[in-house]
Amino acid sequence: MKYLTGRAATALLFLCLAVSPLFAGNSYDRTFREASDLMAQGELDQALSVLQNIPPPSGDEEGTAFISARMQSARIHASRNDNGKALEACREVLNLYPDNSEALNFEAALERKEIPRWRSFLADCVKFLPVLGKGAMMTLLLVLCTMLISPFGGLLIALGRISTIPPLSGLCWFIIWFFRGTPLLLQLFFIYYGLPSAGITLSPMLSAVIGLGLNYSAYLGEIIRGAIQSIDHGQMEAAKAIGMNYRQAMFRIIIPQTYKRLMPPIGNEFIALIKDTALVSTIAMVELMRSADQMFNTYFNITALVLAAIIYLAMTTLFTFVFEKIEYRAGIYEQR
Amino acid sequence: MSKDNEPLLALEKITKRYRNIVAVNRINLEVFPGEKLVIIGPSGSGKSTLLRSINLLEEIDEGVIRFEGREVGYTTKNGRRHHDTPSAICALRAEIGMVFQHFHLFPHMTALGNVMEGPLTVQRKPSEEARRIAAGMLEKVGLSDKMDVFPATLSGGQKQRVAIARALAMHPRIMLFDEPTSALDPELVGEVFETIHKLADEGMTMVIVTHHMGFARELADRVIFMESGSFLAEGTPVELFGANQTNERIRSFLNRLI
Ligand SMILES: Nc1ncnc2c1ncn2[C@@H]1O[C@H](COP(=O)(O)OP(=O)(O)OP(=O)(O)O)[C@@H](O)[C@H]1O
Ligand SMILES: [Mg+2]
């Protein structure tokens, strides 16, 4: 019995030793919780004084709590537009940890606040635009590739769909059904992450072009089929009556008449395409969206996203304008 | 050239059905070179279907079509009908000109482009030659000054004359007109009739469906009255339109038109 009590006591002692650091840590946790409760109640001054209670680390002690406390104070000061005090808190950290990135970024952000907004915006532009520009070039390349491929793919699918050969029209029906019926994101994942398991490994760019190309071919296929079938049946008859075969009638007479009525819906699809390219950022393509996201995550600076939005808008505006011009040209024969 | 007693076009018991209606019912017809045949009859009697069957725009269910003596569209082997190849069908259509009630001009091509299209694409003539032929045909229908305009800017009569030129540019052996003036304003009918008359004077073989009895009387060598897919009567204009027409059905039809 005595023996047993002795062992239990030893075990209890070891247990206490093992959890003691947790209790030590807990004392700071309690301070932080107290501070955040105070902040929630709007008692910012009290919160600040509580945070101030956490001293700089002595000797080998970890500095995490100290850094968190001072940065929290800096944020409170900054939220009250007291940049001087906020900077002070930042620099307290930097004096001990000159490499701390959180403090460095916050200091930079505070210093930016001192200079006029438009100048800091310009400075951001200069910083972000080269990277975003590169991304935009990638997006543009992707858009142009898809715009080049999908009308031809769409035409093939449309012609297959209206053909009287059952396996061909069935196949084209299936392509349309599949690519319109599943999310583009899923198709991209399937091509980039799924195909390698079948022994086909494609670069992000190739995967993106194939995914977007197939998807948009399927959409344009339906649009083109509708346009072909909307042409007066008499046109086909007149073409046949002068001895044309099906191919000649299609390519010389029917399809050229669809151009004008194709432009508005196709323009619409292409505008959607410009924005859909953002999805390929998920398969390791560094295009405009990905670049903007990277900038935003590095600098916590909303300007990167604003600039990306402006570039997307510029692209869609430009293409809208171009499509309108083409539509006008395509229908010039209808004018009296 | 085929001899006068040999028909250019011969239909033997051709029949065309649409589900439950018989649009053309066992029709026999011979058209001789240089002949001007006019087909009249009430709406829905199968006139258009008959014309469209001749150049194989309509697939007939029974019967034989002979063009210059040879069987076209289908070949019958061991009692089974087989389709001709698409290229044979196109070749036949190239020799038969057709003019539609609603013109069906190609709106994306100029008047000249419309007329050139056959020689250029079907006959694969060099574009210079096709242009020369087309310009000649447009001059023939009196539209030399409209060569470079799009159909949208032409009047109905002008459109139909371009359509006639388009058919003529293929140098067809026979011309089929399906109510060529029915879609026109009355004051524009004359110019189209004049063009057809001119063609008739040159000796073109033609089959014309029309509701204009005056025109039929003037032009036709032979008039056929069609009803419910069959020929009800056949004869010279005098015989059909004359006062001694005894068939009550035809008399009432003619009276209604006049
Ligand atoms: N594509 C079609 N499908 C079903 N029935 C049709 C079709 N085309 C014509 N028909 C029918 O066939 C019959 C003959 O039609 P058709 O057009 O040859 O007559 P029509 O004599 O030319 O008449 P109209 O003077 O009105 O032009 C009509 O009863 C018509 O309803
Ligand atoms: Mg008709």
Side-chain angles (χ1 to χ4, degrees), chain B residues 174-227:
Chain B
I174 181 171
M175 286 284 284
L176 310 176
F177 293 89
D178 189 2
E179 304 194 31
T181 57
S182 294
L184 299 180
D185 291 340
E187 73 268 25
L188 299 176
V189 168
E191 62 187 70
V192 172
F193 280 156
E194 215 171 282
T195 307
I196 298 175
H197 252 299
K198 204 164 143 193
L199 211 58
D201 292 342
E202 289 171 13
M204 175 65 77
T205 313
M206 44 180 120
V207 181
I208 306 163
V209 172
T210 184
H211 289 302
H212 287 263
M213 294 310 137
F215 176 61
R217 204 190 309 256
E218 265 177 54
L219 190 85
D221 298 321
R222 186 154 56 114
V223 181
I224 289 173
F225 182 87
M226 193 168 175
E227 180 159 53

Tab-separated table of all heavy atoms in Angstrom, chain B residues 174-227:
chain	number	residue	atom	x	y	z
B	174	ILE	N	-33.484	22.724	-120.198
B	174	ILE	CA	-34.910	22.956	-119.961
B	174	ILE	C	-35.041	23.881	-118.748
B	174	ILE	O	-34.192	23.870	-117.852
B	174	ILE	CB	-35.640	21.607	-119.715
B	174	ILE	CG1	-37.145	21.818	-119.499
B	174	ILE	CG2	-35.047	20.882	-118.507
B	174	ILE	CD1	-37.913	20.498	-119.481
B	175	MET	N	-36.079	24.737	-118.763
B	175	MET	CA	-36.291	25.650	-117.631
B	175	MET	C	-37.627	25.321	-116.967
B	175	MET	O	-38.637	25.156	-117.640
B	175	MET	CB	-36.331	27.105	-118.116
B	175	MET	CG	-34.987	27.693	-118.499
B	175	MET	SD	-33.966	28.118	-117.077
B	175	MET	CE	-34.768	29.619	-116.539
B	176	LEU	N	-37.600	25.254	-115.636
B	176	LEU	CA	-38.827	25.026	-114.874
B	176	LEU	C	-39.150	26.306	-114.101
B	176	LEU	O	-38.311	26.824	-113.377
B	176	LEU	CB	-38.632	23.873	-113.877
B	176	LEU	CG	-38.031	22.570	-114.418
B	176	LEU	CD1	-37.811	21.576	-113.281
B	176	LEU	CD2	-38.914	21.965	-115.498
B	177	PHE	N	-40.358	26.830	-114.300
B	177	PHE	CA	-40.769	28.045	-113.569
B	177	PHE	C	-41.910	27.683	-112.633
B	177	PHE	O	-42.958	27.219	-113.086
B	177	PHE	CB	-41.269	29.114	-114.549
B	177	PHE	CG	-40.198	29.672	-115.446
B	177	PHE	CD1	-39.909	29.060	-116.668
B	177	PHE	CD2	-39.494	30.819	-115.095
B	177	PHE	CE1	-38.925	29.583	-117.503
B	177	PHE	CE2	-38.517	31.344	-115.931
B	177	PHE	CZ	-38.232	30.722	-117.136
B	178	ASP	N	-41.738	27.885	-111.337
B	178	ASP	CA	-42.814	27.602	-110.384
B	178	ASP	C	-43.437	28.918	-109.914
B	178	ASP	O	-42.919	29.578	-109.026
B	178	ASP	CB	-42.279	26.808	-109.188
B	178	ASP	CG	-43.406	26.304	-108.293
B	178	ASP	OD1	-44.575	26.545	-108.642
B	178	ASP	OD2	-43.111	25.671	-107.271
B	179	GLU	N	-44.559	29.275	-110.537
B	179	GLU	CA	-45.257	30.527	-110.226
B	179	GLU	C	-44.275	31.703	-110.128
B	179	GLU	O	-44.159	32.330	-109.072
B	179	GLU	CB	-46.033	30.383	-108.915
B	179	GLU	CG	-47.000	29.218	-108.955
B	179	GLU	CD	-47.995	29.267	-107.817
B	179	GLU	OE1	-48.332	30.379	-107.382
B	179	GLU	OE2	-48.445	28.193	-107.374
B	180	PRO	N	-43.599	32.023	-111.222
B	180	PRO	CA	-42.528	33.023	-111.154
B	180	PRO	C	-43.016	34.440	-110.850
B	180	PRO	O	-42.218	35.287	-110.472
B	180	PRO	CB	-41.896	32.968	-112.556
B	180	PRO	CG	-42.972	32.441	-113.435
B	180	PRO	CD	-43.761	31.483	-112.593
B	181	THR	N	-44.328	34.676	-110.995
B	181	THR	CA	-44.812	36.045	-110.787
B	181	THR	C	-45.776	36.157	-109.608
B	181	THR	O	-46.290	37.232	-109.335
B	181	THR	CB	-45.535	36.569	-112.046
B	181	THR	OG1	-46.602	35.669	-112.350
B	181	THR	CG2	-44.594	36.658	-113.224
B	182	SER	N	-45.993	35.056	-108.887
B	182	SER	CA	-47.020	35.083	-107.836
B	182	SER	C	-46.645	35.943	-106.651
B	182	SER	O	-47.500	36.380	-105.907
B	182	SER	CB	-47.312	33.665	-107.347
B	182	SER	OG	-47.894	32.925	-108.381
B	183	ALA	N	-45.334	36.175	-106.457
B	183	ALA	CA	-44.922	36.972	-105.300
B	183	ALA	C	-44.701	38.432	-105.671
B	183	ALA	O	-44.199	39.200	-104.869
B	183	ALA	CB	-43.650	36.387	-104.705
B	184	LEU	N	-45.080	38.790	-106.897
B	184	LEU	CA	-44.755	40.148	-107.368
B	184	LEU	C	-45.958	41.077	-107.317
B	184	LEU	O	-47.107	40.639	-107.459
B	184	LEU	CB	-44.255	40.079	-108.820
B	184	LEU	CG	-42.991	39.271	-109.066
B	184	LEU	CD1	-42.634	39.303	-110.545
B	184	LEU	CD2	-41.848	39.828	-108.240
B	185	ASP	N	-45.658	42.359	-107.129
B	185	ASP	CA	-46.703	43.364	-107.274
B	185	ASP	C	-47.177	43.357	-108.728
B	185	ASP	O	-46.370	43.134	-109.628
B	185	ASP	CB	-46.153	44.748	-106.936
B	185	ASP	CG	-45.837	44.894	-105.457
B	185	ASP	OD1	-46.386	44.095	-104.681
B	185	ASP	OD2	-45.035	45.772	-105.103
B	186	PRO	N	-48.478	43.579	-108.954
B	186	PRO	CA	-49.020	43.475	-110.324
B	186	PRO	C	-48.217	44.266	-111.357
B	186	PRO	O	-48.017	43.787	-112.469
B	186	PRO	CB	-50.432	44.038	-110.178
B	186	PRO	CG	-50.784	43.791	-108.753
B	186	PRO	CD	-49.517	43.906	-107.976
B	187	GLU	N	-47.724	45.451	-110.980
B	187	GLU	CA	-47.053	46.258	-112.001
B	187	GLU	C	-45.665	45.713	-112.352
B	187	GLU	O	-45.038	46.185	-113.288
B	187	GLU	CB	-46.969	47.736	-111.571
B	187	GLU	CG	-45.961	48.028	-110.474
B	187	GLU	CD	-46.585	47.971	-109.079
B	187	GLU	OE1	-47.616	47.279	-108.922
B	187	GLU	OE2	-46.020	48.596	-108.170
B	188	LEU	N	-45.181	44.725	-111.586
B	188	LEU	CA	-43.853	44.172	-111.866
B	188	LEU	C	-43.931	42.853	-112.633
B	188	LEU	O	-42.916	42.314	-113.064
B	188	LEU	CB	-43.095	43.942	-110.559
B	188	LEU	CG	-42.839	45.189	-109.718
B	188	LEU	CD1	-42.182	44.812	-108.405
B	188	LEU	CD2	-41.987	46.187	-110.487
B	189	VAL	N	-45.180	42.342	-112.794
B	189	VAL	CA	-45.352	41.046	-113.447
B	189	VAL	C	-44.896	41.113	-114.906
B	189	VAL	O	-44.218	40.218	-115.408
B	189	VAL	CB	-46.834	40.614	-113.349
B	189	VAL	CG1	-47.109	39.428	-114.248
B	189	VAL	CG2	-47.181	40.277	-111.907
B	190	GLY	N	-45.214	42.225	-115.544
B	190	GLY	CA	-44.947	42.371	-116.976
B	190	GLY	C	-43.496	42.156	-117.344
B	190	GLY	O	-43.188	41.415	-118.294
B	191	GLU	N	-42.575	42.760	-116.578
B	191	GLU	CA	-41.156	42.673	-116.936
B	191	GLU	C	-40.639	41.236	-116.872
B	191	GLU	O	-39.789	40.837	-117.655
B	191	GLU	CB	-40.315	43.595	-116.048
B	191	GLU	CG	-40.356	43.270	-114.567
B	191	GLU	CD	-39.639	44.314	-113.708
B	191	GLU	OE1	-40.158	45.457	-113.585
B	191	GLU	OE2	-38.564	43.996	-113.197
B	192	VAL	N	-41.210	40.452	-115.931
B	192	VAL	CA	-40.775	39.056	-115.820
B	192	VAL	C	-41.344	38.242	-116.982
B	192	VAL	O	-40.634	37.440	-117.597
B	192	VAL	CB	-41.189	38.475	-114.461
B	192	VAL	CG1	-40.919	36.978	-114.403
B	192	VAL	CG2	-40.436	39.179	-113.341
B	193	PHE	N	-42.626	38.471	-117.297
B	193	PHE	CA	-43.218	37.766	-118.444
B	193	PHE	C	-42.468	38.079	-119.724
B	193	PHE	O	-42.225	37.205	-120.557
B	193	PHE	CB	-44.694	38.164	-118.602
B	193	PHE	CG	-45.587	37.430	-117.660
B	193	PHE	CD1	-46.823	37.950	-117.282
B	193	PHE	CD2	-45.206	36.189	-117.147
B	193	PHE	CE1	-47.650	37.262	-116.411
B	193	PHE	CE2	-46.021	35.495	-116.271
B	193	PHE	CZ	-47.250	36.032	-115.901
B	194	GLU	N	-42.091	39.344	-119.868
B	194	GLU	CA	-41.363	39.770	-121.061
B	194	GLU	C	-40.067	38.963	-121.196
B	194	GLU	O	-39.707	38.493	-122.277
B	194	GLU	CB	-41.022	41.250	-120.907
B	194	GLU	CG	-41.040	42.060	-122.178
B	194	GLU	CD	-40.899	43.524	-121.842
B	194	GLU	OE1	-41.908	44.143	-121.420
B	194	GLU	OE2	-39.765	44.035	-121.956
B	195	THR	N	-39.380	38.815	-120.052
B	195	THR	CA	-38.113	38.066	-120.047
B	195	THR	C	-38.348	36.606	-120.435
B	195	THR	O	-37.596	36.038	-121.234
B	195	THR	CB	-37.481	38.129	-118.645
B	195	THR	OG1	-37.395	39.489	-118.246
B	195	THR	CG2	-36.098	37.519	-118.647
B	196	ILE	N	-39.421	36.015	-119.891
B	196	ILE	CA	-39.708	34.613	-120.200
B	196	ILE	C	-40.084	34.464	-121.674
B	196	ILE	O	-39.664	33.523	-122.354
B	196	ILE	CB	-40.823	34.075	-119.283
B	196	ILE	CG1	-40.363	34.117	-117.815
B	196	ILE	CG2	-41.201	32.647	-119.656
B	196	ILE	CD1	-41.424	33.729	-116.807
B	197	HIS	N	-40.833	35.436	-122.172
B	197	HIS	CA	-41.222	35.441	-123.587
B	197	HIS	C	-40.006	35.438	-124.488
B	197	HIS	O	-39.925	34.698	-125.467
B	197	HIS	CB	-42.058	36.691	-123.893
B	197	HIS	CG	-43.488	36.363	-124.118
B	197	HIS	ND1	-43.899	35.536	-125.134
B	197	HIS	CD2	-44.619	36.733	-123.454
B	197	HIS	CE1	-45.206	35.415	-125.086
B	197	HIS	NE2	-45.675	36.129	-124.065
B	198	LYS	N	-39.057	36.292	-124.127
B	198	LYS	CA	-37.840	36.427	-124.919
B	198	LYS	C	-37.112	35.078	-124.981
B	198	LYS	O	-36.623	34.657	-126.033
B	198	LYS	CB	-36.931	37.470	-124.242
B	198	LYS	CG	-35.941	38.138	-125.175
B	198	LYS	CD	-35.403	39.386	-124.496
B	198	LYS	CE	-33.941	39.602	-124.795
B	198	LYS	NZ	-33.352	40.611	-123.910
B	199	LEU	N	-37.122	34.414	-123.853
B	199	LEU	CA	-36.468	33.109	-123.736
B	199	LEU	C	-37.198	32.087	-124.610
B	199	LEU	O	-36.567	31.271	-125.299
B	199	LEU	CB	-36.541	32.680	-122.267
B	199	LEU	CG	-35.436	31.828	-121.718
B	199	LEU	CD1	-34.109	32.529	-121.890
B	199	LEU	CD2	-35.718	31.586	-120.230
B	200	ALA	N	-38.522	32.179	-124.581
B	200	ALA	CA	-39.330	31.256	-125.386
B	200	ALA	C	-39.029	31.452	-126.864
B	200	ALA	O	-38.900	30.485	-127.624
B	200	ALA	CB	-40.803	31.488	-125.097
B	201	ASP	N	-38.882	32.705	-127.254
B	201	ASP	CA	-38.608	33.010	-128.663
B	201	ASP	C	-37.269	32.438	-129.110
B	201	ASP	O	-37.077	32.147	-130.283
B	201	ASP	CB	-38.625	34.529	-128.891
B	201	ASP	CG	-40.032	35.089	-128.713
B	201	ASP	OD1	-40.983	34.274	-128.759
B	201	ASP	OD2	-40.170	36.305	-128.501
B	202	GLU	N	-36.350	32.287	-128.152
B	202	GLU	CA	-35.049	31.712	-128.509
B	202	GLU	C	-35.102	30.197	-128.603
B	202	GLU	O	-34.088	29.555	-128.877
B	202	GLU	CB	-34.002	32.119	-127.466
B	202	GLU	CG	-33.629	33.582	-127.528
B	202	GLU	CD	-32.752	33.986	-126.349
B	202	GLU	OE1	-32.260	33.098	-125.646
B	202	GLU	OE2	-32.579	35.201	-126.169
B	203	GLY	N	-36.270	29.632	-128.299
B	203	GLY	CA	-36.437	28.189	-128.472
B	203	GLY	C	-36.175	27.373	-127.227
B	203	GLY	O	-36.027	26.149	-127.287
B	204	MET	N	-36.117	28.018	-126.066
B	204	MET	CA	-35.890	27.285	-124.815
B	204	MET	C	-37.087	26.379	-124.512
B	204	MET	O	-38.229	26.781	-124.652
B	204	MET	CB	-35.686	28.289	-123.675
B	204	MET	CG	-35.560	27.668	-122.293
B	204	MET	SD	-34.111	26.636	-122.090
B	204	MET	CE	-32.825	27.872	-121.884
B	205	THR	N	-36.802	25.162	-124.088
B	205	THR	CA	-37.846	24.254	-123.628
B	205	THR	C	-38.248	24.680	-122.228
B	205	THR	O	-37.371	24.937	-121.400
B	205	THR	CB	-37.306	22.815	-123.565
B	205	THR	OG1	-36.621	22.535	-124.769
B	205	THR	CG2	-38.424	21.827	-123.335
B	206	MET	N	-39.539	24.804	-121.948
B	206	MET	CA	-39.894	25.185	-120.581
B	206	MET	C	-41.219	24.634	-120.088
B	206	MET	O	-42.143	24.396	-120.846
B	206	MET	CB	-39.837	26.706	-120.398
B	206	MET	CG	-40.430	27.547	-121.478
B	206	MET	SD	-40.201	29.264	-120.993
B	206	MET	CE	-39.261	29.937	-122.273
B	207	VAL	N	-41.231	24.427	-118.764
B	207	VAL	CA	-42.451	24.021	-118.083
B	207	VAL	C	-42.757	25.119	-117.074
B	207	VAL	O	-41.909	25.453	-116.252
B	207	VAL	CB	-42.272	22.680	-117.349
B	207	VAL	CG1	-43.566	22.277	-116.660
B	207	VAL	CG2	-41.810	21.593	-118.309
B	208	ILE	N	-43.945	25.711	-117.191
B	208	ILE	CA	-44.278	26.859	-116.349
B	208	ILE	C	-45.554	26.579	-115.564
B	208	ILE	O	-46.572	26.197	-116.139
B	208	ILE	CB	-44.493	28.126	-117.221
B	208	ILE	CG1	-43.274	28.367	-118.113
B	208	ILE	CG2	-44.763	29.335	-116.347
B	208	ILE	CD1	-43.550	29.305	-119.256
B	209	VAL	N	-45.460	26.781	-114.254
B	209	VAL	CA	-46.665	26.756	-113.428
B	209	VAL	C	-47.066	28.208	-113.210
B	209	VAL	O	-46.249	29.017	-112.787
B	209	VAL	CB	-46.403	26.083	-112.067
B	209	VAL	CG1	-47.612	26.237	-111.153
B	209	VAL	CG2	-46.063	24.612	-112.261
B	210	THR	N	-48.305	28.541	-113.565
B	210	THR	CA	-48.722	29.934	-113.389
B	210	THR	C	-50.225	30.023	-113.190
B	210	THR	O	-50.970	29.105	-113.541
B	210	THR	CB	-48.303	30.793	-114.606
B	210	THR	OG1	-48.650	32.150	-114.352
B	210	THR	CG2	-48.962	30.327	-115.879
B	211	HIS	N	-50.637	31.129	-112.596
B	211	HIS	CA	-52.066	31.381	-112.443
B	211	HIS	C	-52.533	32.469	-113.398
B	211	HIS	O	-53.676	32.866	-113.357
B	211	HIS	CB	-52.378	31.792	-110.998
B	211	HIS	CG	-52.250	30.665	-110.026
B	211	HIS	ND1	-52.971	29.511	-110.154
B	211	HIS	CD2	-51.467	30.497	-108.937
B	211	HIS	CE1	-52.661	28.688	-109.177
B	211	HIS	NE2	-51.736	29.259	-108.433
B	212	HIS	N	-51.587	32.964	-114.241
B	212	HIS	CA	-51.950	34.029	-115.188
B	212	HIS	C	-52.401	33.403	-116.503
B	212	HIS	O	-51.587	32.976	-117.306
B	212	HIS	CB	-50.761	34.952	-115.430
B	212	HIS	CG	-50.467	35.838	-114.272
B	212	HIS	ND1	-50.921	37.137	-114.184
B	212	HIS	CD2	-49.796	35.614	-113.127
B	212	HIS	CE1	-50.535	37.671	-113.042
B	212	HIS	NE2	-49.834	36.752	-112.374
B	213	MET	N	-53.705	33.351	-116.717
B	213	MET	CA	-54.232	32.656	-117.886
B	213	MET	C	-53.885	33.373	-119.186
B	213	MET	O	-53.623	32.742	-120.197
B	213	MET	CB	-55.752	32.514	-117.769
B	213	MET	CG	-56.143	31.604	-116.634
B	213	MET	SD	-55.248	30.043	-116.683
B	213	MET	CE	-54.849	29.848	-114.973
B	214	GLY	N	-53.850	34.701	-119.109
B	214	GLY	CA	-53.513	35.455	-120.312
B	214	GLY	C	-52.124	35.089	-120.792
B	214	GLY	O	-51.895	34.832	-121.983
B	215	PHE	N	-51.215	35.029	-119.862
B	215	PHE	CA	-49.837	34.678	-120.163
B	215	PHE	C	-49.768	33.249	-120.707
B	215	PHE	O	-49.098	32.972	-121.709
B	215	PHE	CB	-49.008	34.818	-118.886
B	215	PHE	CG	-47.582	34.393	-119.007
B	215	PHE	CD1	-46.728	35.038	-119.895
B	215	PHE	CD2	-47.087	33.345	-118.247
B	215	PHE	CE1	-45.406	34.640	-120.001
B	215	PHE	CE2	-45.776	32.950	-118.351
B	215	PHE	CZ	-44.933	33.603	-119.238
B	216	ALA	N	-50.497	32.324	-120.064
B	216	ALA	CA	-50.517	30.925	-120.501
B	216	ALA	C	-51.033	30.829	-121.939
B	216	ALA	O	-50.453	30.143	-122.776
B	216	ALA	CB	-51.384	30.100	-119.566
B	217	ARG	N	-52.102	31.562	-122.227
B	217	ARG	CA	-52.705	31.534	-123.555
B	217	ARG	C	-51.710	31.989	-124.615
B	217	ARG	O	-51.607	31.402	-125.681
B	217	ARG	CB	-53.929	32.462	-123.544
B	217	ARG	CG	-54.977	32.147	-124.582
B	217	ARG	CD	-55.999	33.268	-124.633
B	217	ARG	NE	-56.518	33.591	-123.281
B	217	ARG	CZ	-57.722	33.211	-122.850
B	217	ARG	NH1	-58.529	32.527	-123.651
B	217	ARG	NH2	-58.131	33.533	-121.649
B	218	GLU	N	-50.992	33.073	-124.279
B	218	GLU	CA	-50.047	33.651	-125.246
B	218	GLU	C	-48.878	32.717	-125.538
B	218	GLU	O	-48.421	32.583	-126.657
B	218	GLU	CB	-49.438	34.931	-124.657
B	218	GLU	CG	-50.113	36.211	-125.047
B	218	GLU	CD	-49.438	37.361	-124.333
B	218	GLU	OE1	-48.199	37.462	-124.460
B	218	GLU	OE2	-50.142	38.121	-123.636
B	219	LEU	N	-48.367	32.121	-124.459
B	219	LEU	CA	-47.075	31.462	-124.542
B	219	LEU	C	-47.165	29.970	-124.840
B	219	LEU	O	-46.340	29.420	-125.576
B	219	LEU	CB	-46.336	31.655	-123.210
B	219	LEU	CG	-44.875	31.235	-123.209
B	219	LEU	CD1	-44.025	32.389	-123.724
B	219	LEU	CD2	-44.436	30.849	-121.803
B	220	ALA	N	-48.184	29.316	-124.280
B	220	ALA	CA	-48.154	27.854	-124.223
B	220	ALA	C	-48.380	27.194	-125.575
B	220	ALA	O	-49.178	27.645	-126.391
B	220	ALA	CB	-49.199	27.371	-123.230
B	221	ASP	N	-47.647	26.101	-125.810
B	221	ASP	CA	-47.968	25.201	-126.900
B	221	ASP	C	-49.042	24.236	-126.419
B	221	ASP	O	-49.874	23.778	-127.170
B	221	ASP	CB	-46.744	24.372	-127.313
B	221	ASP	CG	-45.626	25.258	-127.828
B	221	ASP	OD1	-45.924	26.221	-128.535
B	221	ASP	OD2	-44.452	24.983	-127.488
B	222	ARG	N	-48.940	23.933	-125.099
B	222	ARG	CA	-49.812	22.927	-124.526
B	222	ARG	C	-50.097	23.346	-123.090
B	222	ARG	O	-49.211	23.843	-122.399
B	222	ARG	CB	-49.081	21.592	-124.547
B	222	ARG	CG	-49.891	20.401	-124.124
B	222	ARG	CD	-49.342	19.121	-124.757
B	222	ARG	NE	-47.938	18.921	-124.459
B	222	ARG	CZ	-47.477	17.911	-123.704
B	222	ARG	NH1	-48.308	17.058	-123.166
B	222	ARG	NH2	-46.185	17.788	-123.487
B	223	VAL	N	-51.304	23.184	-122.631
B	223	VAL	CA	-51.684	23.514	-121.261
B	223	VAL	C	-52.199	22.250	-120.577
B	223	VAL	O	-52.906	21.448	-121.203
B	223	VAL	CB	-52.777	24.603	-121.221
B	223	VAL	CG1	-53.147	24.938	-119.782
B	223	VAL	CG2	-52.311	25.858	-121.949
B	224	ILE	N	-51.790	22.055	-119.339
B	224	ILE	CA	-52.271	20.908	-118.576
B	224	ILE	C	-52.997	21.422	-117.350
B	224	ILE	O	-52.516	22.325	-116.668
B	224	ILE	CB	-51.102	19.991	-118.157
B	224	ILE	CG1	-50.561	19.264	-119.387
B	224	ILE	CG2	-51.534	18.993	-117.093
B	224	ILE	CD1	-49.319	18.462	-119.116
B	225	PHE	N	-54.180	20.886	-117.097
B	225	PHE	CA	-54.912	21.249	-115.887
B	225	PHE	C	-54.729	20.125	-114.876
B	225	PHE	O	-55.016	18.968	-115.155
B	225	PHE	CB	-56.401	21.442	-116.199
B	225	PHE	CG	-57.194	21.861	-115.001
B	225	PHE	CD1	-57.302	23.213	-114.664
B	225	PHE	CD2	-57.819	20.921	-114.191
B	225	PHE	CE1	-58.022	23.600	-113.557
B	225	PHE	CE2	-58.546	21.308	-113.071
B	225	PHE	CZ	-58.637	22.653	-112.760
B	226	MET	N	-54.218	20.488	-113.729
B	226	MET	CA	-53.887	19.483	-112.729
B	226	MET	C	-54.799	19.621	-111.521
B	226	MET	O	-55.142	20.738	-111.114
B	226	MET	CB	-52.432	19.681	-112.294
B	226	MET	CG	-51.878	18.537	-111.504
B	226	MET	SD	-50.096	18.716	-111.349
B	226	MET	CE	-49.760	17.332	-110.277
B	227	GLU	N	-55.216	18.513	-110.986
B	227	GLU	CA	-56.015	18.555	-109.755
B	227	GLU	C	-55.790	17.282	-108.946
B	227	GLU	O	-55.768	16.188	-109.484
B	227	GLU	CB	-57.502	18.708	-110.079
B	227	GLU	CG	-58.340	18.753	-108.809
B	227	GLU	CD	-59.685	19.384	-109.014
B	227	GLU	OE1	-60.387	18.944	-109.922
B	227	GLU	OE2	-60.020	20.318	-108.262
